[in-house]
C-alpha cells in the first residue's frame, strides 16, 4: 500500500470514529459537524473531477450545489403543503423521499452542467473561470428574485426527508447516510480516474491536441466530465439542504463556489481524498477559530497561502511527501 | 495504379496579406514516402494543418481514402485512419509511456465513454499499445513517466502513438527535429519500414534523411509547390536548386 493509501485509510477512520464517539458521548453537535464535513467533501469530490482530472477551473460549482439544494427544497415544500409541483402536462407531486430527491438533484444539476458546459467549454483559462462565475451569479440573483420559493429569505423545510428503514432525524443515522454517499462517490471517482474515460479526460487536461489527433474530440470529453462533476456536487447540495432543513440563495453564491474550490486545493488537487481532507480542515478551523474571532478567515487565508506556495499537492501531497502515488 | 490515398486539390489559404498556401495540389500513394520540403516559412505547417483538419482551407479540397474530408474535424479524420506526429512532441507528460500508447489505441479502436473498468485491464487495448511500442523499441520504457524520457525517446513515442491507430496514412511533421546525427540515423530505418504499414507524408528538414527515405519529393516555396518528383528529378531540377537547395548544394 502506498503512503497516500495509508493516509486515506486514516482519514476515513477518523471521519467515521469521531461521530461514533460523539454518539456514544451524546454530543450531537459534533455529529452535525462531521455530517457537514462529509457533505461538503462530497461537493469537493464533484469539483475535483472537473478541476483535478479535467483541468477545468470552474468558479461556478455553486450552481450545481444550489440546484441540488433547491431540488430538495422545492420537492419537499410541495410535499409539506400538499400542493402538486405541477399539474400540466402531467402531474408531479412533491416528495419527502430522499432517494427520489437525490435522483431529481442529480438530473437537474446534470442538465444545468450540460447547458453551462456546452456554452462555457468553448473558452478556456480565465474566460472559462469568468463564464462559470457569471452563471453562478445568474442563478444567485434569479433565486433572490423568485418569490415562489422564499426569494431572498430562503425556504425552510420543517421535517427532514425520509430514507426507507432509517430515522433521518437521528443525527448519527443521517451522518451514516451522508458518509455512505461520500464513500460511493469516492469509489466511483477512483474507478473513473482509472477508466478509459479517465485516461482521456486526464490526457485532455495535459495535451488536448494529442487527444484530438488520436480521434477523440476533447470538447465532448470535457463536457461529459463537467456533467459528472456537476451531478456529484448537486447531490451534495441536496444533502446539505437536508442537513440544514433550509435552502437559500446563499447556496448559489460565488463564495460557495470559492469554498468548494478551497476544499479541493487545501486537500490536494486531483488527489482522491483531497476534498475530504480539505473540507475537514476547513470545517474544523471554522469551528475552532470561529469561536476565537469573527475574522477567522484570516488564518484560513494564511494556511491556504502556505499550501499554494509550499505544498502544491495540498495537505495530502505534503503528507505523502515526495512519493506521488499513482492514481 | 490505384487511386491515391490522400489527394489535395487546389488548396489555398490566406492569412491577411500572406498567401500561406497557393493552389497546392499533391497526392500520397500506397506504399510510398512522400516528402514535403521547403525553406522556413514556405507554408509546410499550414499545409499539414489543413490536411489534418486543424485549419480550414479558403478554397480547395482534401480527399482521404476515397472521401472528401475537407469539412471533417481533426478527430474525425484521425478515426478514419490519419495518424499524425507533431513537430514538437505532443504527449501527456504526466502519464506513463504505456498510458500514452493506450490513449492512442483507445482513440483508434476503443470507446472512450466507459467509466468503470480500468483501462489498463483492457487486454485488447494494452496489447495494441505494447505492439506499437515494440515497433519503435520503446516497450522497455512502458512504465516510465513520459516527462522523464529523453527528447529522442519522445520522438519515438510520438510515432508509437500514431501506430496504435493502425493508420491508413501517416502525416509526420519533422519527426527528426532536434535528434542530431545519431538519432536521425536510428530513426531512419524505423520510418523506412513503416511505409509498408501505411504511406507517409513526411515533412523534414534533414536532407540526408529525406534523400534516403523519400520515394517522391514535393518542394514548397512561398506556399506553392514548385516541383514534385523522384529524388533524382528533384536533385536535377533547376528551379529547386535555385529556390532551395542552391545554398547547400
Amino acid at each position: 500500500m502506498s503512503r497516500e493509501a495509508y493516509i486515506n485509510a486514516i482519514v476515513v477512520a477518523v471521519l467515521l470514529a469521531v461521530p461514533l464517539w460523539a454518539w456514544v458521548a451524546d454530543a450531537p453537535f459534533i455529529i452535525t459537524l462531521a455530517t457537514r464535513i462529509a457533505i461538503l467533501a462530497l461537493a469537493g469530490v464533484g469539483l475535483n473531477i472537473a478541476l483535478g482530472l479535467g483541468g477545468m477551473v470552474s468558479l461556478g460549482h455553486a450552481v450545481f450545489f444550489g440546484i441540488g439544494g433547491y431540488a430538495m427544497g422545492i420537492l419537499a415544500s410541495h410535499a409539506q403543503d400538499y400542493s402538486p409541483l405541477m399539474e400540466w402536462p402531467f402531474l408531479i407531486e412533491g416528495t419527502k423521499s430522499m432517494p427520489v430527491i437525490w435522483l431529481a438533484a442529480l438530473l437537474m444539476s446534470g442538465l444545468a452542467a450540460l447547458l453551462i458546459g456546452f456554452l462555457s467549454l468553448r473558452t478556456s483559462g480565465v474566460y472559462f473561470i469568468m463564464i462559470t462565475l457569471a452563471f453562478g451569479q445568474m442563478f444567485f440573483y434569479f433565486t433572490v428574485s423568485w418569490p415562489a420559493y422564499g426569494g431572498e429569505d430562503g425556504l425552510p423545510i420543517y421535517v427532514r426527508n425520509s430514507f426507507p428503514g432509517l430515522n433521518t432525524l437521528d443525527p448519527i443515522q443521517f451522518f451514516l447516510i451522508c458518509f455512505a454517499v461520500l464513500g460511493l462517490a469516492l469509489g466511483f471517482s477512483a474507478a473513473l480516474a482509472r477508466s478509459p474515460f479517465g485516461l482521456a479526460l486526464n490526457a485532455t487536461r495535459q495535451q488536448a491536441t494529442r487527444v484530438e489527433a488520436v480521434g477523440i474530440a476533447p470538447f465532448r470529453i470535457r463536457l461529459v466530465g463537467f456533467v459528472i462533476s456537476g451531478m456529484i456536487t448537486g447531490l451534495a447540495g441536496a444533502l446539505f439542504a437536508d442537513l440544514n432543513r433550509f435552502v437559500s440563495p446563499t447556496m448559489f453564491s460565488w463564495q460557495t463556489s470559492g469554498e468548494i474550490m478551497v476544499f479541493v486545493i487545501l486537500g490536494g488537487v486531483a488527489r482522491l481524498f483531497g476534498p475530504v481532507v480539505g473540507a475537514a480542515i476547513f470545517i474544523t478551523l471554522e469551528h475552532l477559530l470561529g469561536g476565537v474571532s469573527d475574522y477567522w478567515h484570516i488564518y484560513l487565508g494564511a494556511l491556504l497561502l502556505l499550501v499554494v506556495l509550499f505544498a502544491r499537492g495540498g495537505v495530502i501531497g505534503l503528507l505523502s511527501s515526495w512519493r506521488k502515488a499513482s492514481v | 495504379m490505384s487511386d491515391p490515398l490522400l489527394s489535395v486539390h487546389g488548396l489555398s489559404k490566406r492569412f491577411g496579406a500572406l498567401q500561406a498556401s497557393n493552389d497546392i495540389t499533391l497526392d500520397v500513394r500506397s506504399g510510398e514516402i512522400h516528402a514535403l520540403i521547403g525553406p522556413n516559412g514556405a507554408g509546410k505547417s499550414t499545409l499539414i494543418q489543413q490536411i489534418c483538419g486543424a485549419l480550414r482551407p479558403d478554397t480547395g479540397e482534401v480527399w482521404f481514402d476515397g472521401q472528401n474530408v475537407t469539412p471533417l474535424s481533426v478527430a474525425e479524420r484521425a478515426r478514419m485512419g490519419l495518424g499524425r506526429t507533431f513537430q514538437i512532441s505532443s504527449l501527456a507528460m504526466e502519464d506513463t509511456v504505456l498510458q500514452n500508447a493506450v490513449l492512442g489505441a483507445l482513440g483508434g479502436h476503443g470507446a472512450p465513454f466507459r467509466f468503470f473498468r480500468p483501462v489498463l485491464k483492457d487486454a485488447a487495448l494494452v496489447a495494441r499499445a505494447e505492439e506499437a511500442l515494440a515497433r519503435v523499441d520503446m516497450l522497455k520504457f512502458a512504465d516510465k513517466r513520459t516527462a522523464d524520457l529523453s527528447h529522442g525517446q519522445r520522438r519515438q513515442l510520438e510515432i508509437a502513438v500514431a501506430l496504435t491507430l493502425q493508420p491508413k496514412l501517416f502525416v509526420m511533421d519533422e519527426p527528426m527535429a532536434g535528434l542530431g546525427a545519431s538519432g536521425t540515423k536510428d530513426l531512419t530505418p524505423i520510418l523506412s519500414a513503416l511505409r509498408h504499414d501505411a504511406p507517409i507524408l513526411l515533412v523534414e528538414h534533414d536532407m540526408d534523411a529525406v534523400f534516403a527515405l523519400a520515394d517522391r519529393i514535393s518542394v514548397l516555396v512561398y506556399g506553392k509547390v514548385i516541383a514534385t518528383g523522384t529524388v533524382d528529378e528533384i536533385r536535377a531540377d533547376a528551379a529547386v536548386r535555385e529556390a532551395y537547395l542552391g545554398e547547400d548544394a
Side-chain angles (χ1 to χ4, degrees):
Chain A
M1 221 159 69
S2 74
R3 206 155 150 186
E4 185 171 337
Y6 277 114
I7 294 167
N8 294 346
I10 292 169
V11 170
V12 173
V14 172
L15 185 58
L16 190 59
V18 169
L20 286 177
W21 164 81
W23 177 50
V24 173
D26 196 23
F29 178 71
I30 301 287
I31 302 179
T32 301
L33 222 52
T35 312
R36 264 172 74 90
I37 290 173
I39 293 170
L40 293 175
L42 179 66
V45 169
L47 178 64
N48 207 14
I49 290 172
L51 181 66
L53 208 54
M56 295 173 272
V57 184
S58 163
L59 202 49
H61 259 49
V63 168
F64 314 121
F65 197 63
I67 284 177
Y70 272 87
M72 173 281 187
I74 290 170
L75 285 170
S77 73
H78 282 282
Q80 72 187 10
D81 298 346
Y82 302 102
S83 63
L85 181 62
M86 63 183 220
E87 290 173 289
W88 192 90
F90 43 83
L91 180 73
I92 297 182
E93 302 264 20
T95 178
K96 294 287 283 178
S97 159
M98 257 185 218
V100 177
I101 286 169
W102 293 351
L103 276 179
L106 286 168
L107 193 68
M108 295 317 291
S109 50
L111 278 174
L114 189 65
L115 182 73
I116 293 173
F118 187 79
L119 295 171
S120 56
L121 285 171
R122 288 161 197 284
T123 65
S124 60
V126 76
Y127 298 100
F128 179 77
I129 298 176
M130 285 300 125
I131 288 186
T132 51
L133 178 65
F135 274 109
Q137 293 304 87
M138 272 168 55
F139 276 85
F140 175 76
Y141 287 110
F142 177 74
T143 45
V144 164
S145 55
W146 192 25
Y149 297 104
E152 200 172 357
D153 297 331
L155 180 65
I157 301 298
Y158 302 115
V159 179
R160 191 169 283 156
N161 296 302
S162 60
F163 191 90
L166 292 173
N167 173 14
T168 55
L169 280 170
D170 179 9
I172 193 71
Q173 294 192 37
F174 184 61
F175 168 79
L176 288 172
I177 291 173
C178 296
F179 185 79
V181 173
L182 174 64
L184 285 175
L186 284 168
F188 171 73
S189 192
L192 189 77
R194 293 193 186 92
S195 72
F197 178 77
L199 181 75
L201 183 60
N202 199 16
T204 302
R205 172 177 62 80
Q206 298 173 58
Q207 195 61 265
T209 49
R210 162 53 60 202
V211 175
E212 208 176 12
V214 298
I216 302 172
F219 179 77
R220 286 186 209 171
I221 294 287
R222 287 200 184 104
L223 184 58
V224 171
F226 193 72
V227 168
I228 293 171
S229 166
M231 287 170 83
I232 295 176
T233 301
L235 181 59
L239 287 169
F240 191 73
D242 233 331
L243 172 70
N244 300 326
R245 280 169 274 168
F246 179 68
V247 283
S248 77
T250 315
M251 286 184 77
F252 282 114
S253 70
W254 67 271
Q255 287 94 331
T256 304
S257 293
E259 280 180 13
I260 300 173
M261 196 179 284
V262 167
F263 305 151
V264 175
I265 293 172
L266 203 57
V269 176
R271 307 278 176 162
L272 182 60
F273 275 70
V276 183
V277 171
I281 293 174
F282 188 96
I283 298 301
T284 310
L285 279 182
E286 184 182 49
H287 175 59
L288 296 178
L289 296 176
V292 179
S293 160
D294 280 347
Y295 305 107
W296 70 276
H297 281 96
I298 292 174
Y299 304 106
L300 177 77
L303 180 66
L304 199 60
L305 200 65
L306 287 176
V307 164
V308 172
L309 284 177
F310 301 111
R312 283 295 178 80
V315 172
I316 293 219
L318 194 66
L319 292 177
S320 48
S321 68
W322 64 93
R323 241 175 234 279
K324 191 180 176 227
S326 56
V327 179
Chain B
M1 210 180 94
S2 63
D3 286 339
L5 198 63
L6 175 83
S7 53
V8 171
H9 300 290
L11 213 61
S12 292
K13 180 80 188 174
R14 178 180 275 283
F15 299 108
L18 177 72
Q19 185 77 49
S21 304
N22 186 358
D23 195 23
I24 294 173
T25 294
L26 61 83
D27 60 28
V28 179
R29 299 169 193 152
S30 301
E32 76 166 348
I33 293 182
H34 189 149
L36 184 66
I37 63 172
N40 284 326
K44 300 186 296 288
S45 292
T46 305
L47 176 59
I48 293 297
Q49 285 187 302
Q50 291 172 89
I51 289 171
C52 293
L55 272 179
R56 292 264 182 284
D58 297 335
T59 58
E61 288 177 350
V62 179
W63 284 68
F64 175 50
D65 198 20
Q67 193 183 331
N68 181 0
V69 297
T70 319
L72 299 188
S73 71
V74 175
E76 285 165 329
R77 293 183 205 195
R79 279 199 297 275
M80 282 179 69
L82 196 155
R84 181 190 181 174
T85 70
F86 291 86
Q87 184 179 358
I88 296 163
S89 293
S90 173
L91 300 158
M93 287 295 173
E94 296 168 24
D95 287 354
T96 64
V97 168
L98 182 64
Q99 281 174 318
N100 269 287
V102 168
L103 179 73
L106 181 66
H109 305 274
F113 291 100
R114 285 177 297 147
F115 304 96
F116 296 103
R117 210 165 145 241
V119 67
L120 295 180
K121 294 241 166 80
D122 187 322
L125 288 184
V126 172
R128 208 182 284 279
E130 287 179 341
E131 188 191 322
L133 289 174
R135 285 286 299 277
V136 295
D137 200 23
M138 285 290 289
L139 191 54
K140 54 182 180 279
F141 300 123
D143 294 325
K144 213 167 170 180
R145 235 166 62 106
T146 305
D148 299 333
L149 294 179
S150 71
H151 176 76
Q153 289 164 342
R154 286 181 203 166
R155 305 307 298 168
Q156 280 163 273
L157 179 55
E158 279 270 328
I159 294 167
V161 175
L163 261 172
T164 59
L165 297 175
Q166 296 189 327
K168 298 194 178 91
L169 170 75
F170 291 101
V171 175
M172 297 193 178
D173 197 353
E174 296 196 31
M176 314 287 195
L179 278 188
S182 76
T184 303
K185 225 178 102 208
D186 292 344
L187 201 53
T188 302
I190 295 177
L191 292 187
S192 186
L194 280 183
R195 83 184 92 190
H196 305 299
D197 292 62
I200 305 175
L201 179 63
L202 177 72
V203 177
E204 189 48 65
H205 264 307
D206 188 301
M207 282 305 135
D208 292 337
V210 167
F211 289 142
L213 283 168
D215 299 293
R216 285 193 301 156
I217 299 175
S218 288
V219 184
L220 198 63
V221 177
Y222 294 124
K224 230 178 153 54
V225 175
I226 60 165
T228 295
T230 62
V231 172
D232 292 336
E233 285 163 4
I234 292 298
R235 276 189 205 267
D237 191 298
V240 174
R241 295 182 73 91
E242 186 190 344
Y244 185 31
L245 295 174
E247 292 138 33
D248 295 320

